[in-house]
Amino acid sequence: EPEVTQTPSHQVTQMGQEVILRCVPISNHLYFYWYRQILGQKVEFLVSFYNNEISEKSEIFDDQFSVERPDGSNFTLKIRSTKLEDSAMYFCASSKSGTGTGELFFGEGSRLTVL
Amino acid sequence: EDQVTQSPEALRLQEGESSSLNCSYTVSGLRGLFWYRQDPGKGPEFLFTLYSAGEEKEKERLKATLTKKESFLHITAPKPEDSATYLCAVQAGASGSARQLTFGSGTQLTVLP
């Protein structure tokens, strides 16, 4: 069964360092998303991406964050200068036809720990 | 601001003991309400979409219903493998193909054998 894959599964970094989280969405999907979940808190929307541009972003997704689809298969989230409060599980998701059906396929997540 | 509140926070059931999980929402223009299941250390897994009051969806031991203010996830004769956190999410507001989902904090369900 097709699945969304994310790397790394866990990354530890020092505050102020740049981090890139990588995702391979399901191959025939057209919409891509990043969500995050701070330990013990709700899953929060960061950004959605379609047709090589950002469709929507939340207030969390400030200038420190960027997304890119560098080739036909990868979708990346970059945090330019990490802060302690960026420590969270970051989930990539993809969907075939947007969020109207609510059927997003999530990866297993990348746990980011900022020291 | 869209609000999604789930109750209870945690629920322990004996195998075979049916119950319901609640998701109440306050949004401006509901476009869809979604239920997901999340296992420890994993990403959410899609279960159901509900669009309008009165709608119901079923899958195995799960049935989701929707009113104008809340949704229920009914679990009939649960098994230990149904143990997970159940998340409710809404999409609301302006139209758009990739609108954000707003999640509740979830109900952690434990089914004891």
Side-chain angles (χ1 to χ4, degrees):
Chain A
E1 187 176 314
E3 58 181 20
V4 175
T5 57
Q6 292 186 240
T7 54
S9 56
H10 188 194
Q11 180 154 359
V12 180
T13 190
Q14 294 291 325
M15 192 169 57
Q17 294 296 303
E18 177 182 285
V19 161
I20 296 176
L21 305 179
R22 292 182 168 80
C23 170
V24 179
I26 294 174
S27 62
N28 63 345
H29 285 187
L30 302 176
Y31 295 81
F32 315 111
Y33 316 86
W34 285 101
Y35 283 77
R36 79 172 186 189
Q37 187 173 29
I38 295 170
L39 189 64
Q41 297 189 24
K42 297 181 180 183
V43 175
E44 301 176 291
F45 171 76
L46 293 178
V47 66
S48 58
F49 192 88
Y50 170 70
N51 202 24
N52 281 320
E53 61 182 23
I54 291 173
S55 293
E56 186 179 4
K57 59 183 181 180
S58 70
E59 291 178 355
I60 303 168
F61 195 88
D62 62 20
D63 291 345
Q64 293 300 311
F65 290 87
S66 62
V67 289
E68 195 177 37
R69 187 156 163 82
D71 53 43
S73 60
N74 290 284
F75 180 51
T76 62
L77 175 70
K78 181 193 290 186
I79 309 174
R80 257 179 275 282
S81 177
T82 50
K83 304 171 191 162
L84 295 176
E85 54 264 38
D86 293 329
S87 294
M89 181 74 92
Y90 288 80
F91 292 108
C92 175
S94 69
S95 66
K96 195 180 287 189
S97 57
T99 49
T101 66
E103 191 170 5
L104 274 58
F105 291 79
F106 284 82
E108 295 204 344
S110 293
R111 179 167 297 286
L112 176 64
T113 302
V114 182
L115 302 176
Chain B
E1 185 181 323
D2 299 337
Q3 297 270 3
V4 180
T5 305
Q6 293 189 243
S7 61
E9 289 185 11
L11 182 62
R12 289 166 69 92
L13 299 173
Q14 290 295 133
E15 185 171 1
E17 180 187 0
S18 302
S19 188
S20 296
L21 283 53
N22 177 263
C23 170
S24 62
Y25 59 91
T26 305
V27 300
S28 180
L30 180 73
R31 295 193 163 272
L33 185 141
F34 317 109
W35 283 96
Y36 281 81
R37 168 190 172 129
Q38 186 175 25
D39 292 302
K42 300 277 182 84
E45 178 186 346
F46 173 78
L47 293 173
F48 300 111
T49 299
L50 300 164
Y51 290 112
S52 55
E55 191 174 357
E56 297 183 353
K57 292 277 178 70
E58 277 190 75
K59 181 179 180 179
E60 295 181 357
R61 293 177 293 282
L62 301 177
K63 182 168 84 171
T65 61
L66 181 65
T67 72
K68 287 188 177 179
K69 294 183 179 180
E70 58 193 349
S71 176
F72 292 94
L73 184 66
H74 307 279
I75 302 176
T76 302
K79 298 182 178 182
E81 53 261 42
D82 295 322
S83 297
T85 296
Y86 290 85
L87 303 174
C88 171
V90 299
Q91 186 191 53
S95 63
S97 59
R99 292 278 297 153
Q100 63 177 287
L101 302 187
T102 300
F103 282 85
S105 53
T107 293
Q108 186 176 3
L109 174 67
T110 303
V111 182
L112 303 170

mmCIF file of all heavy atoms in Angstrom, chain A residues 75-93:
data_model
loop_
_atom_site.group_PDB
_atom_site.id
_atom_site.type_symbol
_atom_site.label_atom_id
_atom_site.label_comp_id
_atom_site.label_asym_id
_atom_site.label_seq_id
_atom_site.Cartn_x
_atom_site.Cartn_y
_atom_site.Cartn_z
ATOM 1 N N PHE A 75 9.471 16.496 -0.867
ATOM 2 C CA PHE A 75 8.835 17.717 -0.357
ATOM 3 C C PHE A 75 9.518 18.014 0.960
ATOM 4 O O PHE A 75 9.546 17.162 1.846
ATOM 5 C CB PHE A 75 7.339 17.462 -0.171
ATOM 6 C CG PHE A 75 6.547 18.629 0.349
ATOM 7 C CD1 PHE A 75 6.630 19.875 -0.246
ATOM 8 C CD2 PHE A 75 5.681 18.477 1.423
ATOM 9 C CE1 PHE A 75 5.886 20.941 0.220
ATOM 10 C CE2 PHE A 75 4.926 19.530 1.897
ATOM 11 C CZ PHE A 75 5.029 20.765 1.299
ATOM 12 N N THR A 76 10.137 19.181 1.077
ATOM 13 C CA THR A 76 10.961 19.451 2.251
ATOM 14 C C THR A 76 10.433 20.630 3.053
ATOM 15 O O THR A 76 9.819 21.553 2.507
ATOM 16 C CB THR A 76 12.410 19.740 1.857
ATOM 17 O OG1 THR A 76 12.446 20.911 1.034
ATOM 18 C CG2 THR A 76 13.025 18.571 1.105
ATOM 19 N N LEU A 77 10.707 20.572 4.342
ATOM 20 C CA LEU A 77 10.438 21.676 5.268
ATOM 21 C C LEU A 77 11.769 22.117 5.842
ATOM 22 O O LEU A 77 12.495 21.301 6.410
ATOM 23 C CB LEU A 77 9.495 21.240 6.385
ATOM 24 C CG LEU A 77 9.233 22.274 7.487
ATOM 25 C CD1 LEU A 77 8.397 23.434 6.956
ATOM 26 C CD2 LEU A 77 8.516 21.622 8.686
ATOM 27 N N LYS A 78 12.088 23.395 5.686
ATOM 28 C CA LYS A 78 13.331 23.920 6.229
ATOM 29 C C LYS A 78 13.012 24.897 7.347
ATOM 30 O O LYS A 78 12.142 25.764 7.198
ATOM 31 C CB LYS A 78 14.147 24.637 5.149
ATOM 32 C CG LYS A 78 15.488 25.181 5.669
ATOM 33 C CD LYS A 78 16.142 26.153 4.705
ATOM 34 C CE LYS A 78 16.657 25.524 3.472
ATOM 35 N NZ LYS A 78 17.419 26.473 2.623
ATOM 36 N N ILE A 79 13.727 24.742 8.449
ATOM 37 C CA ILE A 79 13.667 25.727 9.533
ATOM 38 C C ILE A 79 15.029 26.374 9.575
ATOM 39 O O ILE A 79 16.038 25.695 9.821
ATOM 40 C CB ILE A 79 13.309 25.078 10.888
ATOM 41 C CG1 ILE A 79 12.061 24.200 10.757
ATOM 42 C CG2 ILE A 79 13.073 26.167 11.937
ATOM 43 C CD1 ILE A 79 11.721 23.407 12.012
ATOM 44 N N ARG A 80 15.071 27.675 9.339
ATOM 45 C CA ARG A 80 16.363 28.356 9.125
ATOM 46 C C ARG A 80 17.189 28.462 10.392
ATOM 47 O O ARG A 80 18.380 28.187 10.396
ATOM 48 C CB ARG A 80 16.119 29.762 8.572
ATOM 49 C CG ARG A 80 16.380 29.887 7.092
ATOM 50 C CD ARG A 80 16.099 31.291 6.615
ATOM 51 N NE ARG A 80 14.701 31.496 6.293
ATOM 52 C CZ ARG A 80 14.121 31.071 5.170
ATOM 53 N NH1 ARG A 80 14.797 30.430 4.272
ATOM 54 N NH2 ARG A 80 12.837 31.303 4.941
ATOM 55 N N SER A 81 16.590 28.858 11.461
ATOM 56 C CA SER A 81 17.314 29.069 12.718
ATOM 57 C C SER A 81 16.421 28.555 13.837
ATOM 58 O O SER A 81 15.511 29.249 14.292
ATOM 59 C CB SER A 81 17.625 30.553 12.897
ATOM 60 O OG SER A 81 18.261 30.789 14.133
ATOM 61 N N THR A 82 16.675 27.318 14.246
ATOM 62 C CA THR A 82 15.750 26.660 15.166
ATOM 63 C C THR A 82 15.730 27.304 16.547
ATOM 64 O O THR A 82 16.739 27.825 17.034
ATOM 65 C CB THR A 82 16.108 25.174 15.312
ATOM 66 O OG1 THR A 82 17.509 25.059 15.597
ATOM 67 C CG2 THR A 82 15.772 24.402 14.052
ATOM 68 N N LYS A 83 14.538 27.252 17.163
ATOM 69 C CA LYS A 83 14.341 27.735 18.521
ATOM 70 C C LYS A 83 13.909 26.558 19.390
ATOM 71 O O LYS A 83 13.448 25.528 18.874
ATOM 72 C CB LYS A 83 13.242 28.802 18.557
ATOM 73 C CG LYS A 83 13.475 29.969 17.632
ATOM 74 C CD LYS A 83 12.242 30.845 17.578
ATOM 75 C CE LYS A 83 12.372 31.856 16.454
ATOM 76 N NZ LYS A 83 11.117 32.448 16.062
ATOM 77 N N LEU A 84 14.029 26.732 20.692
ATOM 78 C CA LEU A 84 13.626 25.658 21.602
ATOM 79 C C LEU A 84 12.178 25.249 21.359
ATOM 80 O O LEU A 84 11.847 24.059 21.389
ATOM 81 C CB LEU A 84 13.797 26.105 23.053
ATOM 82 C CG LEU A 84 15.223 26.377 23.532
ATOM 83 C CD1 LEU A 84 15.229 26.892 24.954
ATOM 84 C CD2 LEU A 84 16.085 25.124 23.419
ATOM 85 N N GLU A 85 11.330 26.244 21.090
ATOM 86 C CA GLU A 85 9.895 25.970 20.921
ATOM 87 C C GLU A 85 9.547 25.286 19.605
ATOM 88 O O GLU A 85 8.386 24.955 19.365
ATOM 89 C CB GLU A 85 9.082 27.256 21.083
ATOM 90 C CG GLU A 85 9.504 28.398 20.187
ATOM 91 C CD GLU A 85 10.456 29.367 20.885
ATOM 92 O OE1 GLU A 85 11.321 28.916 21.674
ATOM 93 O OE2 GLU A 85 10.335 30.586 20.623
ATOM 94 N N ASP A 86 10.555 25.074 18.753
ATOM 95 C CA ASP A 86 10.328 24.311 17.518
ATOM 96 C C ASP A 86 10.377 22.807 17.770
ATOM 97 O O ASP A 86 10.076 22.016 16.874
ATOM 98 C CB ASP A 86 11.363 24.677 16.449
ATOM 99 C CG ASP A 86 11.229 26.107 15.956
ATOM 100 O OD1 ASP A 86 10.090 26.629 15.939
ATOM 101 O OD2 ASP A 86 12.267 26.709 15.621
ATOM 102 N N SER A 87 10.762 22.416 18.976
ATOM 103 C CA SER A 87 10.793 20.990 19.305
ATOM 104 C C SER A 87 9.379 20.422 19.208
ATOM 105 O O SER A 87 8.455 20.902 19.866
ATOM 106 C CB SER A 87 11.327 20.780 20.722
ATOM 107 O OG SER A 87 12.672 21.170 20.814
ATOM 108 N N ALA A 88 9.206 19.421 18.367
ATOM 109 C CA ALA A 88 7.886 18.864 18.092
ATOM 110 C C ALA A 88 8.037 17.677 17.165
ATOM 111 O O ALA A 88 9.116 17.416 16.625
ATOM 112 C CB ALA A 88 6.980 19.906 17.425
ATOM 113 N N MET A 89 6.926 16.972 16.953
ATOM 114 C CA MET A 89 6.859 15.966 15.890
ATOM 115 C C MET A 89 6.283 16.669 14.668
ATOM 116 O O MET A 89 5.235 17.313 14.756
ATOM 117 C CB MET A 89 5.940 14.823 16.317
ATOM 118 C CG MET A 89 5.821 13.726 15.283
ATOM 119 S SD MET A 89 7.307 12.713 15.216
ATOM 120 C CE MET A 89 6.865 11.435 16.384
ATOM 121 N N TYR A 90 6.977 16.566 13.558
ATOM 122 C CA TYR A 90 6.538 17.199 12.315
ATOM 123 C C TYR A 90 6.005 16.114 11.382
ATOM 124 O O TYR A 90 6.705 15.157 11.059
ATOM 125 C CB TYR A 90 7.687 17.958 11.658
ATOM 126 C CG TYR A 90 8.024 19.220 12.414
ATOM 127 C CD1 TYR A 90 8.812 19.184 13.563
ATOM 128 C CD2 TYR A 90 7.527 20.455 12.001
ATOM 129 C CE1 TYR A 90 9.085 20.335 14.280
ATOM 130 C CE2 TYR A 90 7.805 21.618 12.708
ATOM 131 C CZ TYR A 90 8.571 21.541 13.855
ATOM 132 O OH TYR A 90 8.854 22.686 14.566
ATOM 133 N N PHE A 91 4.764 16.295 10.968
ATOM 134 C CA PHE A 91 4.116 15.329 10.081
ATOM 135 C C PHE A 91 3.969 15.920 8.687
ATOM 136 O O PHE A 91 3.445 17.019 8.522
ATOM 137 C CB PHE A 91 2.722 14.955 10.599
ATOM 138 C CG PHE A 91 2.724 14.166 11.875
ATOM 139 C CD1 PHE A 91 2.322 14.740 13.061
ATOM 140 C CD2 PHE A 91 3.115 12.834 11.875
ATOM 141 C CE1 PHE A 91 2.314 14.008 14.236
ATOM 142 C CE2 PHE A 91 3.109 12.086 13.045
ATOM 143 C CZ PHE A 91 2.702 12.682 14.226
ATOM 144 N N CYS A 92 4.388 15.158 7.714
ATOM 145 C CA CYS A 92 4.098 15.463 6.325
ATOM 146 C C CYS A 92 2.837 14.698 5.932
ATOM 147 O O CYS A 92 2.598 13.581 6.420
ATOM 148 C CB CYS A 92 5.281 15.033 5.454
ATOM 149 S SG CYS A 92 5.018 15.203 3.687
ATOM 150 N N ALA A 93 2.031 15.271 5.059
ATOM 151 C CA ALA A 93 0.838 14.588 4.572
ATOM 152 C C ALA A 93 0.652 14.921 3.102
ATOM 153 O O ALA A 93 1.163 15.940 2.606
ATOM 154 C CB ALA A 93 -0.394 15.000 5.360
#
